Amino acid sequence: MKIYTTRLLFYFVGILLALGVSINAIHAESNGEGKLIYIIPIEKEVERGLEAFLTRTTEEAKEENADHIIFEIDTPGGRVDAANNIGELFQNIEIPTTSFITSQALSAGSYIALNTDYIYMKPQATMGASGVITSDGNAAEKKAQSAWLAAMKSAASSKGRDPLYAAAMADPDIDLEEYGAPEGEYLTLEPSSAVEVGYAEDIVEHRTELLSKLGLSNATVVETEPTLAEEIARFITHPAVVPILLSIASIGLIVELYSPGFGIPGSMGLLSLVLFFYGHIVAGLAGYESIILLILGIILVVVEIFVPGGILGIIGIGAIIFSLFLSGQDMGHMAWSVGIAILVSIIVSVILYKTMGLEKGIFKHIILKDATTTEKGYISSVNRVELVGQEGKTLTPLRPSGTAIFDEERLDVVSEGGFISSDKSVKVVKTEGARIVVREIVEKN
């Protein structure tokens, strides 16, 4: 009996131990212990530089077998094309994704958030106001608006959200006055409204609370940041910076033409070009074909300085401009940027020409300034004024030009206009450089 009781006690203790281990395992798993979380910031404007950063970091998360990706969003929006590419990138991520809106996810930012599996918001955060606005502040054409509206609705539907509210964010004609968006205004959701319509899972104060809500309090967190190269690329590819950079490049190179040697203006111009292409390569906008085309264009322009003709220079300038277009985010914006740079170049060139002429810099080596003046001893022709009044005879007929002899000197002469036969007496009436004018001497009876 005692042996039987002892065995039951051991069995009971073993069951309790096993149950405790299971409970601890479940508790650890519910808190995310052993899991890997990637925190990726989405800040500032949405552009192709941000797209490059998100592509790199999400690929890194995949390679490290991350269990969850959290995007901390604070952006006023930005470029539609970049947002579309980011949305496609997020849709192809098989890892669970969460948007944590810390301040604002407006315009393209709201579209990016809608492409993630979960959305959480801080109490002061906002989301929406997603109308398509052009660079001049006006509404985009109807075709672009229609495409963007469809993209917003599709993003919401893909994650099980009611597309009506996404549509109202992009279409001011949808009346949602109960959420602060009467007809004529874009919908912007504050946190409680976003939770009410199912666009946000919950409202959280900070990241720690978010991780707790996701059951990932004990997970290993990896925070990502843009590299220096990516920060430079994001700044350089900003639509407002591109025309400024190209203008600085053109001004620097133009001023260098009027400066002796190679100095600060030329260095600034080359540095601006290098930064432009460097930023666009890092952002994934420019390929090596653009660099090759740029170098070829510069070589042709330099060769044109020493080989007259104009064709090589025109081809070289065309190659440089084409390389800029190949590197641009879109043709319209790049055409506008290049146009500004060309206009600035023309204005600077005119000012420098007016003030400095062509006697400075490289021009003094390629433009002939010497003149064969009489002050330097050069004489283009001798004016034989001493012949005026001398008499001689024609050796050939003058029709009206021919040859005559004066004091045994043969000279090319021309009559005043009439025909004079050979062996006639003539008199020099005037000389004009190499031109000796004679008149026939008519003997009186």
Side-chain angles (χ1 to χ4, degrees):
M1 185 67 179
K2 290 183 178 179
I3 296 174
Y4 180 73
T5 303
T6 303
R7 285 180 178 177
L8 284 176
L9 183 61
F10 276 118
Y11 285 145
F12 182 70
V13 171
I15 290 171
L16 288 177
L17 289 173
L19 184 61
V21 170
S22 298
I23 291 172
N24 287 334
I26 292 171
H27 179 71
E29 185 176 347
S30 66
N31 286 312
E33 189 171 328
K35 291 189 175 182
L36 180 63
I37 309 302
Y38 261 69
I39 307 289
I40 302 176
I42 298 178
E43 300 172 334
K44 303 176 184 177
E45 290 197 15
V46 176
E47 28 65 39
R48 297 296 297 274
L50 174 63
E51 177 191 337
F53 165 67
L54 293 176
T55 299
R56 176 183 67 81
T57 50
T58 53
E59 286 298 321
E60 181 182 319
K62 292 177 185 177
E63 292 173 1
E64 295 297 325
N65 296 316
D67 298 287
H68 205 108
I69 300 176
I70 298 174
F71 298 101
E72 293 190 342
I73 301 177
D74 180 12
T75 174
R79 296 186 59 85
V80 170
D81 56 351
N84 281 327
N85 293 341
I86 293 170
E88 183 179 354
L89 173 69
F90 284 10
Q91 290 287 342
N92 292 326
I93 298 176
E94 297 179 357
I95 303 169
T97 56
T98 294
S99 288
F100 179 29
I101 304 175
T102 59
S103 180
Q104 57 181 349
L106 303 180
S107 191
S110 64
Y111 173 76
I112 291 172
L114 290 174
N115 279 283
T116 58
D117 300 318
Y118 311 102
I119 299 176
Y120 288 81
M121 301 174 70
K122 280 192 173 184
Q124 76 280 7
T126 55
M127 173 186 181
S130 306
V132 182
I133 306 298
T134 60
S135 58
D136 57 5
N138 297 318
E141 59 181 9
K142 290 185 177 180
K143 183 178 180 180
Q145 291 179 358
S146 177
W148 179 243
L149 177 62
M152 288 286 293
K153 294 166 65 177
S154 176
S157 299
S158 69
K159 301 299 179 180
R161 301 181 180 103
D162 188 343
L164 171 65
Y165 304 99
M169 292 178 182
D171 186 357
D173 294 332
I174 298 176
D175 185 2
L176 287 176
E177 189 171 359
E178 64 271 28
Y179 295 107
E183 186 174 353
E185 294 185 15
Y186 295 109
L187 173 65
T188 300
L189 292 174
E190 48 86 26
S192 58
S193 298
V195 173
E196 181 182 340
V197 301
Y199 269 45
E201 273 57 50
D202 208 344
I203 304 169
V204 295
E205 291 282 353
H206 41 69
R207 185 193 297 174
T208 303
E209 185 179 353
L210 171 64
L211 292 175
S212 178
K213 293 278 186 182
L214 294 172
L216 299 170
S217 296
N218 295 329
T220 301
V221 175
V222 176
E223 295 190 50
T224 62
E225 293 292 340
T227 63
L228 178 60
E230 288 168 339
E231 289 282 15
I232 293 173
R234 291 195 64 182
F235 175 76
I236 289 173
T237 56
H238 192 284
V241 174
V242 171
I244 296 174
L245 206 59
L246 293 181
S247 296
I248 292 174
S250 63
I251 290 172
L253 296 176
I254 290 294
V255 172
E256 187 61 40
L257 293 177
Y258 289 85
S259 305
F262 191 84
I264 294 177
S267 300
M268 288 181 60
L270 287 180
L271 179 61
S272 298
L273 278 180
V274 169
L275 284 174
F276 172 85
F277 283 98
Y278 173 76
H280 284 71
I281 288 175
V282 172
L285 297 170
Y288 289 105
E289 67 278 0
S290 301
I291 304 299
I292 294 172
L293 203 58
L294 172 69
I295 294 173
L296 178 62
I298 293 174
I299 291 173
L300 289 175
V301 171
V302 172
V303 170
E304 175 62 31
I305 295 175
F306 304 99
V307 180
I311 300 299
L312 293 179
I314 293 173
I315 296 175
I317 293 173
I320 293 173
I321 294 175
F322 189 54
S323 70
L324 296 175
F325 277 98
L326 282 180
S327 305
Q329 298 185 41
D330 66 70
M331 290 295 179
H333 179 263
M334 187 52 62
W336 181 71
S337 301
V338 171
I340 291 176
I342 291 175
L343 179 62
V344 169
S345 299
I346 293 173
I347 293 173
V348 171
S349 297
V350 171
I351 293 173
L352 291 175
Y353 178 77
K354 293 283 188 181
T355 57
M356 302 177 67
L358 297 177
E359 299 178 356
K360 302 286 185 179
I362 193 173
F363 290 117
K364 69 180 181 181
H365 300 295
I366 62 176
I367 297 177
L368 180 63
K369 300 188 294 293
D370 289 337
T372 54
T373 61
T374 54
E375 289 80 2
K376 294 182 179 180
Y378 295 100
I379 300 175
S380 58
S381 61
V382 179
N383 193 355
R384 301 289 300 275
V385 292
E386 76 277 3
L387 294 175
V388 176
Q390 289 191 22
E391 296 181 358
K393 284 188 176 294
T394 58
L395 298 178
T396 64
L398 306 184
R399 298 190 176 95
S401 62
T403 306
I405 187 169
F406 298 86
D407 290 336
E408 299 183 355
E409 182 182 2
R410 293 169 59 94
L411 297 171
D412 293 326
V413 298
V414 60
S415 70
E416 286 184 306
F419 173 78
I420 302 176
S421 302
S422 60
D423 199 28
K424 293 291 185 178
S425 296
V426 291
K427 180 181 181 179
V428 177
V429 292
K430 64 179 176 179
T431 59
E432 298 172 341
R435 187 168 179 264
I436 302 172
V437 182
V438 299
R439 179 187 301 162
E440 183 179 1
I441 300 174
V442 180
E443 294 181 0
K444 296 181 181 180
N445 293 330

